[in-house]
Amino acid sequence: MTSFTHFNEQGRAKMVDITEKEDTVRVAVARTSVTVNKEIYEKMTNHAIEKGDVLAVAQIAGIMAAKKTPDLIPMCHPLMLKGVDIQFAWHVEEEKGLYELVITVTVKTKGSTGVEMEALTAASVCALTVYDMCKALDKGMVIGPTYLMEKKGGKSGHYQREKSHAGGFVNEQ
């Protein structure tokens, strides 16, 4: 394992110098979920939430969050993102009373550092937006787990999460 590079000679935080790193295509895929009750599930799927189209608003919030990641995470480099895609899928097990919105975010760039934090931030803010838009109906929604599914590009190469690491009810497809 390599040493941590976010500390200077005095042991204080610093932004890593990526000047010498080669530009490559970088891709990161993150996933999270929001578990809701049956009422929220039905209202969301029938576009009957009073605040508006939950998934449309959450999608825009997630894209905006990916672009604003360095404003939220202190040591993240500002990046010129080339693409952000957010996909939604329902994982429903009626007999168990499980209504889970699965959120998958893919972020791409061509540069000298990866986009894992942008994908994770986008997924998190997307889920928080769903919560915000539905909390009047039920404050007991559960967010997560949130995790990196895959990353490509860069010196550390390709990473793909093993299915056994997923945790929670997230439907691995």
Side-chain angles (χ1 to χ4, degrees):
M1 182 170 183
T2 60
S3 62
F4 289 106
T5 56
H6 284 76
F7 298 101
N8 65 18
E9 298 80 28
Q10 297 177 334
R12 304 198 51 87
K14 72 170 188 174
M15 180 183 264
V16 175
D17 182 355
I18 59 172
T19 307
E20 302 302 319
K21 289 177 75 177
E22 184 179 334
D23 281 359
T24 61
V25 173
R26 314 288 183 126
V27 179
V29 181
R31 181 170 280 172
T32 194
S33 63
V34 183
T35 303
V36 301
N37 64 23
K38 185 174 183 174
E39 176 188 14
I40 293 173
Y41 166 73
E42 288 176 351
K43 286 190 174 195
M44 282 182 68
T45 56
N46 291 312
H47 303 286
I49 300 287
E50 289 184 18
K51 287 187 175 183
D53 186 339
V54 175
L55 299 184
V57 174
Q59 190 160 23
I60 297 299
I63 293 167
M64 290 173 64
K67 297 189 312 185
K68 290 291 193 177
T69 298
D71 294 336
L72 301 169
I73 311 295
M75 300 303 164
C76 285
H77 291 84
L79 301 177
M80 181 62 68
L81 300 181
K82 305 299 183 189
V84 179
D85 184 30
I86 300 174
Q87 302 283 323
F88 301 101
W90 284 101
H91 174 216
V92 176
E93 295 180 33
E94 291 252 13
E95 65 283 354
K96 293 182 180 178
L98 175 66
Y99 304 91
E100 180 184 49
L101 177 65
V102 180
I103 302 164
T104 305
V105 177
T106 303
V107 178
K108 296 179 181 180
T109 195
K110 184 172 185 181
S112 53
T113 191
V115 288
E116 297 96 297
M117 295 308 299
E118 288 73 9
L120 289 162
T121 300
S124 298
V125 169
C126 193
L128 288 167
T129 301
V130 170
Y131 185 96
D132 179 55
M133 293 191 69
C134 299
K135 69 182 184 274
L137 298 171
D138 178 28
K139 291 174 180 44
M141 291 173 278
V142 175
I143 295 173
T146 304
Y147 54 93
L148 183 68
M149 290 181 59
E150 183 175 17
K151 82 144 222 69
K152 297 178 188 174
K155 189 170 81 173
S156 65
H158 185 229
Y159 164 83
Q160 190 156 17
R161 185 177 196 86
E162 295 176 24
K163 289 186 182 201
S164 63
H165 291 174
F169 295 109
V170 175
N171 183 18
E172 295 291 340
Q173 297 176 12

